[in-house]
Amino acid sequence: MSAILRLLFLIVSLSPGLLLLAWDGSLSWTLIDGVRLSLTLTPLAGFFMVLLAVAAPLVALPMLRRPLDWSSLALYVPLVLGMELLLLAGDFISFFIGWEIMTWSSYLLLLRSPRADLETSQSYILFNLASAFLLLAGILFYYSLSGDFRIGPLAGTTFGQELILAVLLGLAFLIKVGTLPLHIWVPSSYDQAPDLFSAFLSGAISKMGVYGLILLLTLFPDALTSLAGRLLEGPAAGYLLAWIGVVTSVVATYKAIAQEDMKRLLAYSSIAQVGYITTAIGVGSSLALAGALYLALVHTLVKVLLFISVAGIVLQTGQRRFKDLGKLIERMPVSFFGVLIGIIGLAGMPPLPGFAAKYLIFVSLVDARWLLLLAAMILASTAAFIYCYKLIYGPFLGHANSPQAREAREAPLIYLVPQVILMALLVLFGFLPGLPVQVLIDPVLVALGMETIGGASWAELTTTYGGYDGVVLMLVFIIAFVLVTGIFLLLRGRMHRAGSPYDLSYAGEVPTEGTPLHYGAGMGRELHRIPLVGWILRRGTRGFYLGLAGQMRAAAALLGSLYVGRPQIWILIAVVVFAASLAAQSMLGGL
Amino acid sequence: MHAVVDSLAMIGVSYVMGFLFYGFYRQFNARVQRRWGPTIWQNLFDNMKFFFKSETLIHGPMFFFGPMIIMAGAFTTVLFVPFLKDSDWLQGFSQYGNLILIIYLLVVGPLGNALAVGSSGNPFGVMGVTRGLTRLMGLEVPFFLGLAMVMLQHETASVHAIMAAQDSLAHWGIVTNPIAFCVILLPFIGSQHGAPFDVVGAPVEVYAGPRVEFGGRLLGVLMTQRMMMSIAKLVLLVDLFLGGATNILVLIAKAFSLFLLTTVISMVFPRLKTEQAVDFFWKVPLGLGVLGVILTVWLPSWSA
């Protein structure tokens, strides 16, 4: 029985992939009079379905490790199915139903973690409900404009109407994406969620917000070219969105560096990465959208990989803070390579595909002449090296800092299989940076009516500003590495290993077991001394929300004071005003 | 076959230029300080001495592979920078790359080596790495902004195309885009580990910085890659701002004059702390860069 259920679970987790292969045409039926539901797979939705098809089974696999948590497995099923519905939706009713199923099943899954506290779960559900209500309001407003729930470009709307719609839907999706200052639900919920589910939260669910943002652009026929005029060479309306994205990434990057817990660091890094995607969507050119989609793909691969690796470390050691780990490289080599490949992708280093995505976004910013945005993005992108290094140094290098870290064993096979698959995919895309462009991204660009950017071969990534060849780059690097290592080993002389881990050049002293030699927790603390960074790190959005709460309370008190005084007077005034307006209208002949 | 010979030639040229330039630097520095100084060949001798050490201490496999990664990164970087223009030689694989790729390749190696430093288990080394990454964060912002101004000016990220556009002295980047050159110059010194931004690996700082645990042949590898990387960066700046070079002598002359300029700046300023350096990069070169963007990008678009 249990085996059959587990098989069923795996089949559901594979269903996005099966759907991609088997889906043909579209479904449509009438819900009530005048409202039709329709399911269809647009190229844009197809792209995000690919992300889901990669993330869902790879996260599902390690969840099958015994002892099984049947409730989590049961909740994962509606979550995946809800997201499929959301992506297939050709109308806003099914879109909303899918969105709600996703919100509630992910909330219940979050609650399965023993670490989830009241504040986190409350902020998760409140922010996501706010997102859902904004979405609902936006959908109803959309219906009032177009008279139809079908998702399609709007025609004949005024600028004011477009603005209201864009703000309602935009806010809904930005909450899901987690841009500043709407991000505060993200770090604690990614941190406290069940370890494997964090991978899905970051890898797949946050991408639904990105899908929504791009979908929002398609509602306005001229949005991608000239919404509200042009600024330099890009759309003026996107400039604000781009800055929101960049400020999000800069702040989230510094917050990530300051974290002392692996999962919180990854959570902030997710916020930062999705910030880049938001920026690219703001630029809106075909290069930028290609960059946004590419980064969404890479981020899904990288974050699922990193969160599963970290889940493996937590499983084997029970520790999640940098200061309690260390020197796992010898005990967990596969996880080490998982994190290594993950951070190379995360940092956007060549030759892995993270670089291809960053390259497209950088070039699109130069092309749009938005150089100040580019500089701010470089700041975030370079500062990210520090937290990437912290993420690999803290757990894997240095000295083991807890008994568990000293005795840990490699993560179970069921955790390693998804990691190896993801590493292979990342390396493959490193060789062939043009492959995702031609196979996944170009169809989306065609469907959006934009220029394609695919090159002559899968190995090349081409833009009007020039490109690069992944195969040549990778081969040069590999050959150079092999040659250097070979020549080095051929040189005369021998190498031997230090006798003990305390055999160090320690400023003339001899360190002992009691000497604090692990630098993991303190790394990045000195950044506080840089004025700008210190300023960012001293501030939080908590103050903003406390201020907002204060204002709400003041407004409520004001309303209350009207009522507490003498309600009859206010009712009397209301009746008089009502009567007067009725009288005035009847005299003018309105009735 | 051509590619193999060409690659070897590029690696050889950058190595020779590297030890000669740094040999000169040591002597020049000594004369400024009224010392006699070592011979110009001293860097070559030091390097060879390291390579023929009979004993090398390592702290595990990653500690060994780190310097190999940084060396492979240096080779790759050198091979993706075109050394000459209008020539079949000293091109490496530069037609398969571009400016942004080169900038990122410069960082790949040091990050690989950072893994080795971490696995040595010496906290001073890791402290040095953190300082290095912090400095990188500071200098990369104005450096990249300056490069973006160059890319915008020529509407391409291809170093070949940028070089080809500078066909005469009047079209050299330093003449047509002086703001970008000024923005880049100081971060460039930082990226060359030059004074006054050399706190990361300077002899008296946190014991010895990222290299604290390395010795013997591994230290030789680190020294070699630093000389080659410096040459790659110098040649890149020659390509972008000094019109490139048509033969090897012109290349050496131009690279040397640029090296002399950075050396002279280095010698007269006292060393900055890491956070001071970052703050400086974000105030002076970046401020200049923002001003440049406003002047060259925003103003023309408003007046148009």
Side-chain angles (χ1 to χ4, degrees), chain B residues 30-294:
Chain B
R31 298 297 162 91
V32 169
Q33 296 168 356
R34 308 200 175 162
R35 288 186 286 119
W36 195 243
T39 139
I40 198 167
W41 303 99
Q42 190 61 48
N43 266 39
L44 177 67
F45 298 153
D46 287 353
N47 202 218
M48 286 301 134
K49 181 193 78 179
F50 284 136
F51 274 127
F52 291 101
K53 286 275 185 188
S54 57
E55 291 273 330
T56 304
L57 195 70
I58 62 169
H59 294 267
M62 196 63 230
F63 185 81
F64 166 70
F65 282 120
M68 301 301 121
I69 296 175
I70 200 171
M71 196 68 209
F75 280 6
T76 314
T77 314
V78 167
L79 292 179
F80 274 86
V81 178
F83 275 38
L84 297 180
K85 72 173 173 184
D86 308 329
S87 165
D88 285 340
W89 289 100
L90 298 188
Q91 298 300 311
F93 299 92
S94 54
Q95 72 269 30
Y96 300 106
N98 62 60
L99 187 51
I100 301 178
L101 179 71
I102 295 170
I103 300 304
Y104 268 80
L105 278 178
L106 290 173
V107 191
V108 172
L111 283 181
N113 195 46
L115 297 177
V117 177
S119 74
S120 77
N122 192 322
F124 292 126
V126 181
M127 201 184 284
V129 168
T130 315
R131 287 181 169 190
L133 291 175
T134 309
R135 177 182 67 180
L136 182 75
M137 171 184 88
L139 68 90
E140 198 86 332
V141 182
F143 194 63
F144 208 95
L145 184 60
L147 292 180
M149 288 160 79
V150 175
M151 285 189 258
L152 190 63
Q153 179 196 1
H154 297 282
E155 301 214 321
T156 178
S158 151
V159 184
H160 284 277
I162 294 174
M163 255 201 296
Q166 308 172 46
D167 46 9
S168 64
L169 183 60
H171 294 120
W172 280 14
I174 196 169
V175 179
T176 55
N177 204 346
I179 301 180
F181 183 75
C182 295
V183 172
I184 281 181
L185 187 63
L186 292 174
F188 173 71
I189 295 176
S191 82
Q192 296 276 45
H193 315 284
F197 312 111
D198 58 344
V199 73
V200 176
V204 293
E205 293 292 339
V206 287
Y207 205 30
R211 296 174 176 194
V212 58
E213 275 301 308
F214 294 93
R217 289 180 289 159
L218 291 176
L219 191 58
V221 167
L222 292 184
M223 185 177 174
T224 313
Q225 68 82 22
R226 179 171 284 190
M227 295 192 294
M228 288 174 64
M229 286 278 222
S230 301
I231 296 304
K233 287 177 217 168
L234 276 171
V235 171
L236 181 67
L237 245 64
V238 168
D239 288 349
L240 294 180
F241 290 104
L242 301 183
T246 44
N247 64 53
I248 184 80
L249 293 177
V250 177
L251 177 74
I252 292 175
K254 285 183 177 176
F256 185 72
S257 51
L258 195 60
F259 184 73
L260 207 56
L261 176 64
T262 59
T263 307
V264 170
I265 296 175
S266 290
M267 271 170 196
V268 290
F269 291 104
R271 184 180 299 147
L272 296 174
K273 290 189 208 167
T274 321
E275 61 267 21
Q276 288 171 334
V278 172
D279 201 38
F280 172 80
F281 284 132
W282 287 351
K283 278 180 182 154
V284 179
L286 186 61
L288 188 64
V290 171
L291 204 66
V293 169
I294 291 172

Side-chain angles (χ1 to χ4, degrees), chain A residues 62-129:
Chain A
M63 282 172 82
L64 287 174
R65 184 177 176 277
R66 287 166 207 277
L68 290 170
D69 180 9
W70 285 106
S71 329
S72 295
L73 299 193
L75 285 166
Y76 193 73
V77 169
L79 177 62
V80 172
L81 294 179
M83 288 168 76
E84 280 171 47
L85 175 65
L86 162 69
L87 289 172
L88 283 177
D91 64 290
F92 272 121
I93 300 273
S94 5
F95 187 88
F96 186 70
I97 296 172
W99 189 270
E100 281 292 276
I101 296 176
M102 174 176 82
T103 302
W104 284 100
S105 44
S106 61
Y107 172 61
L108 294 175
L109 254 168
L110 172 73
L111 291 185
R112 293 299 304 161
S113 163
R115 296 174 61 236
D117 60 24
L118 187 65
E119 194 185 346
T120 303
S121 41
Q122 271 182 351
S123 74
Y124 183 85
I125 195 62
L126 283 179
F127 270 87
N128 280 289
L129 279 184

Side-chain angles (χ1 to χ4, degrees), chain A residues 245-451:
Chain A
V246 157
V247 171
T248 301
S249 10
V250 171
V251 173
T253 301
Y254 285 116
K255 293 277 183 200
I257 295 171
Q259 297 310 313
E260 294 183 0
D261 177 296
M262 290 187 288
K263 283 179 73 184
R264 276 188 86 87
L265 185 148
L266 284 177
Y268 273 110
S269 125
S270 298
I271 300 176
Q273 296 282 319
V274 185
Y276 300 141
I277 300 179
T278 313
T279 306
I281 294 174
V283 180
S285 62
S286 83
L287 266 178
L289 273 190
L293 294 173
Y294 209 131
L295 194 57
L297 171 70
V298 174
H299 184 241
T300 297
L301 299 178
V302 161
K303 274 292 149 61
V304 174
L305 171 61
L306 284 174
F307 269 113
I308 293 180
S309 307
V310 165
I313 299 175
V314 175
L315 179 77
Q316 298 299 65
T317 64
Q319 304 286 359
R320 53 186 75 231
R321 298 165 74 85
F322 291 110
K323 67 178 170 63
D324 300 328
L325 291 161
K327 209 161 173 92
L328 289 174
I329 179 172
E330 287 162 8
R331 306 196 153 268
M332 309 180 78
V334 182
S335 303
F336 169 74
F337 275 105
V339 172
L340 179 61
I341 298 279
I343 61 165
I344 296 175
L346 190 62
M349 280 281 122
L352 290 192
F355 174 71
K358 288 254 177 83
Y359 178 73
L360 288 174
I361 297 180
F362 291 161
V363 168
S364 74
L365 282 169
V366 174
D367 194 40
R369 309 282 192 271
W370 292 357
L371 295 190
L372 300 184
L373 266 165
L374 178 69
M377 197 157 171
I378 292 288
L379 170 62
S381 165
T382 323
F385 296 158
I386 301 178
Y387 72 66
C388 285
Y389 184 62
K390 187 170 184 174
L391 189 63
I392 200 154
Y393 174 79
F396 289 105
L397 306 174
H399 293 263
N401 260 1
S402 64
Q404 294 93 332
R406 266 177 226 119
E407 287 153 18
R409 285 185 302 139
E410 181 59 276
L413 189 64
I414 208 164
Y415 277 66
L416 298 181
V417 171
Q419 292 182 41
V420 172
I421 295 174
L422 287 164
M423 283 190 258
L425 275 176
L426 281 166
V427 173
L428 173 74
F429 291 157
F431 269 105
L432 304 173
L435 173 69
V437 173
Q438 290 191 21
V439 176
L440 300 174
I441 295 173
D442 271 355
V444 180
L445 293 177
V446 169
L448 296 178
M450 308 181 92
E451 284 174 50

